[in-house]
Amino acid sequence: MEKKDISETLSLIEEKFKAALEKHSGKLPAVAKDGIYDNRADLSVSWTIDNGPAWWTNGFWGGIYNQLYALTGKKEYLDEARASRRLMDTCFLSEYYTGLHHDVGFMWLPTAVADFIMTGDEEAKRRGLLAAQLLAGRYNPAGEFIRAWNDITPGESSNRGWVIIDSMMNISILYWATKVTGDPRFAHIAERHATTVMNAFIRDDGSVRHIVEFDADKGGFVRDYGGQGMKQGSSWTRGQSWGIYGFANSYAHTKRKDFLDAAVKIADHVISVIPKSYLIPVDFDQDENLSFEDSTASAIIACGLIELDRHVPGKGYRKTAEKLLETLTKARADFDPAHDGIIQRCTGSYNGPNDREVNFVYADYYYLEALMKLEGKDVMFW
């Protein structure tokens, strides 16, 4: 993308979220359907325990405004990011605490950790460390992995050995916790978890599994699941994006070459199967005649490739990322301030028809972050 095009697009994004701030300040938007945001902070809704204020994407609303604060220096954006984080903070002292799981990284990295990195705010630091401690407490030493979700049915052990590829992004809060406290245990857990994921999730062709089950008592691989992809053994696109970005981040924190090699292997596979249209399907193995898309995956792949290019320049990763972002901007972006949400045609899961053709706040977050990476103005906290 030309520098002027990046700058112009960033201006459009700011105008969009400046308008959104007037309508949705003090809320926790997660999904926009037909151009209207929901609000996960609305306690008049009967949320499940892992939804509402504890919903895993709630950190991205504040993350958008933290990035806009870094871009513009406008304090109203920082204020909104802090207000949204404090809505999530209520989970630590309410019944929603039992709904929190390994996605606390997604929640408090873009909010609390980003705030501390930018401003040195001590309250933000404490909240980030509290989230890191919660994540570290999910570590299973027998299998050297961090457990993903809580019991599907309370008291039953059916998913206590489950890990998902998304976890590779969450563990960055553990690397950060070691950096700010000097306590190596957080980073030890992150590194051992990343090693387990690297060995169990990446297939020979470079694609990655979504869910792997380990023996929760003894450790060891049990089986994998299709998860949010088309089926067992297929290549869920958002999972591939988490793999690229997550292993690139773990390399940045540890300088372990095998983590970098993992990121490269996944990225090279993804580039080999990206459609000529650069519109990303929900699953790379789905029938090419199906129109199911996940623009969220496109934005995250772009972020991961730009980060990877910083460590492995000259392989065309940045060029591919720019093409993905150009395509999103021209074909899947709605900059009209009257409509909530920018990136269109996002999909939660291949087999979940109720969350197709929507906008996810985290798609907009990663779209913004990728463009700021191209400008060299992003707040890097992953």
Side-chain angles (χ1 to χ4, degrees):
M1 296 179 73
E2 297 291 334
K3 187 173 180 62
K4 69 177 182 62
D5 294 331
I6 298 170
S7 297
E8 289 173 1
T9 305
L10 287 171
S11 294
L12 290 172
I13 294 172
E14 186 195 353
E15 287 302 309
K16 179 87 171 191
F17 280 98
K18 183 178 179 181
L21 185 59
E22 296 176 2
K23 295 185 289 182
H24 301 291
S25 181
K27 299 179 182 179
L28 286 173
V31 181
K33 293 184 178 180
D34 300 321
I36 302 173
Y37 279 136
D38 62 358
N39 176 20
R40 302 298 164 114
D42 181 1
L43 296 184
S44 70
V45 177
S46 298
W47 303 110
T48 58
I49 199 66
D50 60 351
N51 206 321
W55 185 241
W56 75 274
T57 71
N58 284 346
F60 293 105
W61 178 257
I64 287 170
Y65 286 99
N66 271 329
Q67 295 285 8
L68 289 175
Y69 173 69
L71 182 67
T72 68
K74 296 178 182 178
K75 189 173 182 297
E76 60 263 36
Y77 297 150
L78 178 62
D79 290 343
E80 177 63 17
R82 287 175 171 172
S84 72
R85 189 208 77 222
R86 287 169 181 146
L87 289 171
M88 295 192 307
D89 290 348
T90 62
C91 294
F92 290 130
L93 295 173
S94 74
E95 66 273 21
Y96 285 102
Y97 177 80
T98 58
L100 298 175
H101 44 68
H102 75 145
D103 282 329
V104 292
F106 280 132
M107 297 172 75
W108 278 277
L109 272 163
T111 52
V113 173
D115 188 343
F116 176 71
I117 289 172
M118 292 189 296
T119 72
D121 183 78
E122 286 296 316
E123 180 188 7
K125 178 183 177 181
R126 289 192 296 272
R127 295 299 182 269
L129 287 174
L130 191 56
Q133 289 161 359
L134 193 157
L135 183 60
R138 301 183 69 83
Y139 182 67
N140 181 315
E144 298 192 335
F145 64 84
I146 296 169
R147 179 185 176 180
W149 301 299
N150 301 326
D151 291 354
I152 296 173
T153 302
E156 292 188 4
S157 61
S158 59
N159 66 326
R160 291 178 183 173
W162 285 20
V163 176
I164 64 175
I165 189 63
D166 318 40
S167 64
M168 288 302 301
M169 298 296 293
N170 284 293
I171 61 173
S172 288
I173 203 168
L174 299 177
Y175 292 123
W176 168 80
T178 284
K179 183 176 180 180
V180 296
T181 66
D183 187 333
R185 292 176 298 168
F186 296 104
H188 290 166
I189 290 171
E191 189 171 345
R192 289 174 186 176
H193 174 83
T195 302
T196 299
V197 172
M198 177 178 64
N199 291 334
F201 278 72
I202 304 174
R203 304 183 182 110
D204 290 343
D205 67 355
S207 66
V208 297
R209 301 175 168 100
H210 180 202
I211 303 173
V212 168
E213 180 181 353
F214 298 95
D215 187 309
D217 293 314
K218 301 177 182 179
F221 181 95
V222 175
R223 58 161 294 182
D224 67 335
Y225 298 85
Q228 288 166 253
M230 182 175 65
K231 61 181 181 179
Q232 184 180 20
S234 68
S235 182
W236 178 51
T237 56
R238 197 157 73 248
Q240 315 311 299
S241 74
W242 298 136
I244 297 169
Y245 203 176
F247 279 107
N249 290 337
S250 274
Y251 169 74
H253 288 292
T254 67
K255 301 306 178 186
R256 275 183 50 175
K257 188 175 181 298
D258 54 349
F259 289 162
L260 182 62
D261 291 343
V264 167
K265 184 174 183 177
I266 302 166
D268 289 350
H269 169 73
V270 166
I271 290 172
S272 74
V273 294
I274 286 177
K276 293 180 180 179
S277 66
Y278 281 85
L279 297 171
I280 300 300
V282 180
D283 195 301
F284 281 126
D285 293 318
Q286 74 188 46
D287 190 317
E288 62 182 17
N289 295 320
L290 293 178
S291 62
F292 303 159
E293 292 180 29
D294 185 14
S295 297
T296 317
S298 185
I300 303 165
I301 290 168
C303 271
L305 290 176
I306 297 166
E307 181 61 28
L308 188 56
D309 184 76
R310 293 172 173 175
H311 308 297
V312 191
K315 289 196 65 174
Y317 295 139
R318 182 184 173 104
K319 182 178 179 181
T320 301
E322 289 180 353
K323 184 64 177 176
L324 288 167
L325 293 170
E326 287 173 358
T327 303
L328 285 176
T329 302
K330 293 176 181 178
R332 295 293 178 261
D334 180 354
F335 295 110
D336 185 346
H339 307 151
D340 292 333
I342 296 177
I343 298 302
Q344 307 300 304
R345 301 201 70 176
C346 301
T347 298
S349 62
Y350 182 89
N351 295 301
N354 293 328
D355 55 3
R356 290 187 189 136
E357 303 298 321
V358 298
N359 162 268
F360 294 135
V361 164
Y362 65 107
D364 292 350
Y365 171 83
Y366 284 108
Y367 177 59
L368 170 59
E369 183 181 276
L371 291 166
M372 289 183 66
K373 280 179 178 289
L374 292 179
E375 282 276 86
K377 295 181 179 179
D378 61 304
V379 182
M380 189 56 197
F381 48 83
W382 297 105

